[in-house]
Amino acid sequence: MTEKSMRLQGKIALVTGGARGIGLAIMRALVAEGAVPVIADVNQAGAAAAVAALGHADGQVLRVDVADHASVAAMVDAIVARHGQLDILVNNAGIGGNTPFLEIGPEEWQRTIAINLSGAFFVAQACARAMAQRGEGGKIINIASLSGQRGGHGRAAYGAAKAGLELLTKVMAVELAEYGINVNNIAPGAIETEMAKFAHDQATRAAYNYLIPMTRYGTPEEIADAAVFLCSDEARYVHGHTLNVDGGFRAAGLMFRGSKAIPPGQG
Ligand code: NAI
């Protein structure tokens, strides 16, 4: 590998929810840059298989339920006990949800907020405390969503949680700068993962493909490329930012695909 492709040599990198999907793709990309992988997931067998496939001698597997504060504390203690440090957190664990506003019940609402917002907070706080205590800075990337920026159908709980996470990123950036902890947010659009396969039916897929200027779903690897950049020194002055990786979905307004251009003065 070239020197440029080993930008994260020796960095201890935790990805929550890294057993599959976007988290796993990010973990692979960080390892390709020289990072030491730590995958923590509620699916311990999946996390173990993922770390084994990465083939890194120092890789670590942990079971965590991010919604459980004690479980999160034990996760960070185990990382510090094993490696003595934590350099990178990718705060990725999350669940989907597509229940219409008039139908969503209290259990689904609370579970979604518990994992996608409270869980992300527990993880970020515990990791930031470990980084601050060591005094050598760190990198934190929260994985929010386009659904936290736009009012999508069926996205009441999910969108509210992700919007909260985006704001939390800004607060973290403000408060953690003095500790040298660099905090940013990635907002994926529609990404082809197990979560999307479960949550998106054919009509949803067609709607996404129409509304996304690039007319396709993204890949987990495209999110991973953005994460590597934000974890690298090249992004040292990017702070409190949300990087949308969405094929232009957030930028789009009126779409006239297939229709004639509107004559000047008639639009
Ligand atoms: P996925 O369902 O494929 O993977 C999520 C991982 O998180 C799984 O390994 C799962 O076991 C783990 N997980 C779930 N609950 C957990 C908990 N309580 N504690 C610890 N681990 C837990 O999902 P995907 O698509 O890879 O999503 C990853 C992140 O990206 C999520 O935060 C999601 O909201 C976000 N995202 C995904 C998009 C997509 O189109 N797939 C779009 C926008 C954001």
Side-chain angles (χ1 to χ4, degrees), residues 95-204:
I95 56 169
N98 248 340
T99 310
F101 177 76
L102 292 179
E103 291 167 28
I104 191 164
E107 273 179 24
E108 184 180 345
W109 172 271
Q110 275 157 6
R111 184 172 146 71
T112 307
I113 299 294
I115 294 175
N116 290 3
L117 181 57
S118 304
F121 164 70
F122 295 156
V123 171
Q125 187 191 49
C127 291
R129 280 177 174 164
M131 290 172 182
Q133 197 169 6
R134 180 164 171 254
E136 295 194 20
K139 297 271 189 183
I140 296 179
I141 299 173
N142 294 322
I143 306 294
S145 174
L146 182 87
S147 294
Q149 303 167 336
R150 308 277 290 267
H153 191 94
R155 295 307 216 181
Y158 183 84
K162 293 298 190 177
L165 183 55
E166 194 167 322
L167 194 277
L168 184 64
T169 304
K170 293 176 184 164
V171 175
M172 289 168 63
V174 168
E175 293 198 17
L176 299 178
E178 68 179 283
Y179 300 97
I181 301 170
N182 190 201
V183 188
N184 288 293
N185 184 37
I186 291 177
I191 307 300
E192 197 63 83
T193 65
E194 293 304 312
M195 182 192 276
K197 280 176 196 151
F198 172 77
H200 298 185
D201 61 15
Q202 258 193 322
T204 307

Side-chain angles (χ1 to χ4, degrees), residues 20 22 41-42 64-66 92 144-145 158 162 189 191 193 195:
R20 68 178 198 180
I22 290 172
D41 201 294
V42 75
V64 71
D65 176 357
V66 297
N92 164 80
S145 174
Y158 183 84
K162 293 298 190 177
I191 307 300
T193 65
M195 182 192 276

